[in-house]
Structures are given as structure tokens and as C-alpha cells.
Amino acid sequence: MPVIRPFRCVRPAEEKAAAIAALPYDVYNRKEAKKVTDENPLSFLKIDRAETQFPDDTDMYSPQVYERARDTLLEMLADGSFIEDEEPGYYLYALTFAGRTQTGIVGCASVDDYLSGAIRRHENTKKEKELDRINHIDTMSAQTGPVFLAYRPHPELKRITDAAKETAPLYDFTTEDGIRHQVWKLSQNQSDIEELFLSIGHIYIADGHHRAASAVKVCENRRHEHPDYDGTEEFNYFLCVLFPADELKIYDYNRVVSGWNGHALEELLDFIGKQFDMKEIPEQGAPRHKGGISMYIEGTWYQLKAHEDLYSQDPVDDLDVSILQNKILEPLFGIQDPRTDPRIAFVGGIRGLEELVRLVDEGPEKAAFAMYPTSMEELLSVADCGRLMPPKSTWFEPKLRSGLFIHIFEQ
């Protein structure tokens, strides 16, 4: 019975929303983030990645960087770039991309629901990535990037969201990547929304595991600092957008391996051919069904199909990304931990197979593996079992923009 409650939103002034909205902080490297903020001084990256406001040799994790993020938000509130609601409320956030629209409810989720498992996750987090967002959230006393949550479709919640979308939006703009962003404020049905989410058994983290984990750690620190807390304080909740699972699309998350672990090409192909049906194909082609993998190596594409005896009816082990890891990457290429091994790179399917070809062709002894996308039902099933997927199993598109909604939990 997850608690999703309204909040006093800090959001952009209407005329500045399109310029402020930015892709998530971890989409960019430092050089790319700096380029964005140089070209667009209003970009929210100057808050999410405040090292862009310092010389390039500044330690991006130093306290002054996080303090700069806090000060920039206060300055933008003071000059009217951001405004703050007087009363708590929910928002509606719709993203339209490639002819498909997903519409989420913006609110705040309970840290206790995360800790109890009412909010279910499917991915591990990295401590170093957590620490950066912990420092960012803690210094700002605010969550600036929403956690992307999913719930199983609910007809009454759909009725409420459909009705709200018949009204004029607060924001309506299209970003340079062709994604249309629309936002409405839900002035009615607030008690209904809270009650309806209480009737849903569980909700699921689709994307934003590090943002969620970091918000939880900051909450635990604040609870330690305030031993008389009663659970109603804003630091007990974190910013989220909740989408019905049937509106979401998962793209493939592909792999590029550098180094053949001492094997010759013939040995690699022979090993793979013993566990997969393998055939050479004349041109690049993505797998078309579960169990299929496309491999590009030494200028040639191959189609692989896992033998039936590789499957065990286990929700994690039977994922295509698990089959690849357990049957090829670990025993053949020696990649035991894909979270830390520098020889493996992960490439979102939105970048196309051409990117795999480019990466493989730029150096010797490389191989690429194009995956069939993990399904939303597979994600929910793994999370319901209390299990975790291998890293980089899912790539959600479109990406939520940061800077449209901010949750300040302590003034």
C-alpha cells in the first residue's frame, strides 16, 4: 500500500520551462555537460552538474560544487526563473515520442515504502554514484531529478489523468530530440489519487535507482539528526513520476567487449556455436524475438539463438542479458562482474546498431552484442520475486527532464 502524496512544487516560470528542462545528470560526461551550459545558461544542468560553473580542473565532487548548486537554485528563485507553489499538489507529466505518449503523475513517494519493499527495485546501485547524489541532495535539501516509477494499470487513475489532459497544459514544448513535453497541475481529485495508490499493491522503480537510494540515505541522515521526527516531515518523501506500465517502452541495452581474452576468432565462434544456433547474416540486423542475440565481430554480423537447454525457468537467469553474461561474456571473455570490468561498454539501443559497428571497427579484438529488449513484464516479475537484474538490463526512452519539478524538503 504505497503512499504517494502531493507536495509544494518548485517549478520553472512558464516562459522559461523549455530552456531550463534538461536531460538527467548522468546522461552527460563532464565535457558534454559544460558544452550544454555554455550554450544555454538557463539549462538545469548548471544545478544538477554544478561543476560546469567552475574551471575544468576543479574537483567535481568538492563541497563548493554542491554549494554552488544550492546557491544557483536560490538565485533562480529570487529572479523569478523558478516559482514555488503555495499549497501541496500533484502534477501530470506527458511525454510523446515516436508516436507514443506516456503520462505520469508527479508526487512524492515514501522512504518507508522503499525500505519495506512496497516500492520494488530491479537493479543494484554503485556506492560512488550514490555518494555524489547524496551530497547533492543533502547540500541542497532538495530533490531535483524525479525517480521514474511504474505501476500496473489502474482504470480509475487513467480516468483521472485522461480528464485532466482535456484542460490547457501549464507547459507544452518540444525538445531538440523530438520529444514533446506537457505538464498539467491536478487541482482536483487529490484525495482520490492518494487513496487509489494506497489500493495498489506495489510500485516499481523503472529508472532512477541511484536517485532513489540517495534520497533514502539523506532521509536516514536527517532522521538521525532529528530523533524526534514523526514521519510527516518532507525529508521522509522523495520526488517521483509514476507511469502505468502498459504505456512504457523498454529499448535494448547492447554490449561492446574489448579484448578477446587470449582467444582466436575461430575459437570464439566455435565456443558460441556449441550453445547457440549461429548463422552469418549479410547485413546488420537487430534480434526480432526473445532468445535472439545479434553479434558483430571482425566486420561480420551473426544471428544467435540460445539452445533450449540453456533455460531454467528462473526469472533472472532466463533474461537474454543473463544468458549472454553467463554463457558467453563470463566463460569466454572472462568478464565476471560487468558492473566493474572496464572491458565492457553498454550502449543504449536508441543510438542504433551503427554505433556498435563504429565502436567495434575503431580498434582490434572487439565484439558487439545487440540484444532483444527486456520486457516490462519481465521487469515486474523479477522485482516481484525480490530479485535483481544484471546491470544495464533496461533502457527507457523517452527520458524524463530534470528541472521541471523540484521537491525542497527543508528550508
Side-chain angles (χ1 to χ4, degrees), residues 82-223:
F82 282 103
I83 57 178
E84 183 173 12
D85 290 345
E86 294 184 1
E87 299 293 335
Y90 295 102
Y91 285 82
L92 207 60
Y93 181 20
L95 300 94
T96 301
F97 175 65
R100 178 181 58 85
T101 299
Q102 60 189 53
T103 304
I105 295 172
V106 186
C108 281
S110 165
V111 166
D112 286 325
D113 285 337
Y114 178 98
L115 294 171
S116 72
I119 298 174
R120 293 183 167 173
R121 58 195 182 99
H122 68 269
E123 185 176 287
N124 267 324
T125 55
K126 293 183 177 181
K127 295 299 182 184
E128 61 273 18
K129 285 190 69 175
E130 275 189 36
L131 184 58
D132 168 50
R133 286 302 100 177
I134 288 170
N135 290 333
H136 192 274
I137 294 169
D138 198 31
T139 302
M140 295 191 67
S141 289
Q143 296 129 12
T144 60
V147 178
F148 184 163
L149 299 179
Y151 60 91
R152 294 187 184 276
H154 192 293
E156 187 60 20
L157 283 171
K158 180 169 175 53
R159 185 194 67 77
I160 291 172
T161 58
D162 285 349
K165 289 170 67 176
E166 294 297 320
T167 64
L170 289 173
Y171 311 137
D172 189 345
F173 59 90
T174 300
T175 45
E176 66 283 351
D177 52 1
I179 299 169
R180 184 182 184 185
H181 303 263
Q182 295 170 285
V183 173
W184 296 261
K185 185 166 186 180
L186 293 176
S187 55
Q188 300 178 345
N189 304 107
Q190 289 196 23
S191 60
D192 291 344
I193 290 170
E194 193 160 358
E195 288 298 320
L196 287 168
F197 276 114
L198 283 172
S199 71
I200 292 175
H202 297 91
I203 54 180
Y204 304 83
I205 299 177
D207 201 7
H209 284 79
H210 288 92
R211 289 189 287 276
S214 300
V216 170
K217 295 288 175 56
V218 172
C219 169
E220 291 174 329
N221 292 340
R222 296 295 170 102
R223 287 177 173 182

Side-chain angles (χ1 to χ4, degrees), residues 251-254 279 281-296 301-304 320 349-354 356-357 368-373:
Y251 286 76
D252 44 310
Y253 217 151
N254 303 315
K279 68 175 182 178
I281 53 178
E283 57 186 18
Q284 65 185 30
R288 298 181 179 180
H289 51 77
K290 178 175 170 55
I293 299 171
S294 295
M295 179 177 68
Y296 180 68
W301 282 94
Y302 299 86
Q303 279 186 352
L304 313 180
D320 287 352
I350 197 71
R351 300 177 69 178
L353 297 183
E354 295 80 5
L356 301 184
V357 171
F369 298 90
M371 310 303 298
Y372 188 75

Side-chain angles (χ1 to χ4, degrees), residues 252-260 268-269 272 276 278 285-287 292-297 301-302 304 320-321 323-325 327-330 332-333 335 343-349 353 356-357 360 366-372:
D252 44 310
Y253 217 151
N254 303 315
R255 278 83 167 127
V256 174
V257 176
S258 298
W260 291 353
L268 297 176
L269 298 179
I272 294 170
F276 295 80
M278 180 173 65
I293 299 171
S294 295
M295 179 177 68
Y296 180 68
I297 189 168
W301 282 94
Y302 299 86
L304 313 180
D320 287 352
V321 288
I323 294 289
L324 176 68
Q325 173 60 34
K327 305 303 180 181
I328 296 179
L329 298 186
E330 181 174 348
L332 188 57
F333 291 93
I335 296 174
R343 293 173 297 155
I344 186 169
F346 300 93
V347 182
L353 297 183
L356 301 184
V357 171
V360 171
K366 290 192 171 187
F369 298 90
M371 310 303 298
Y372 188 75

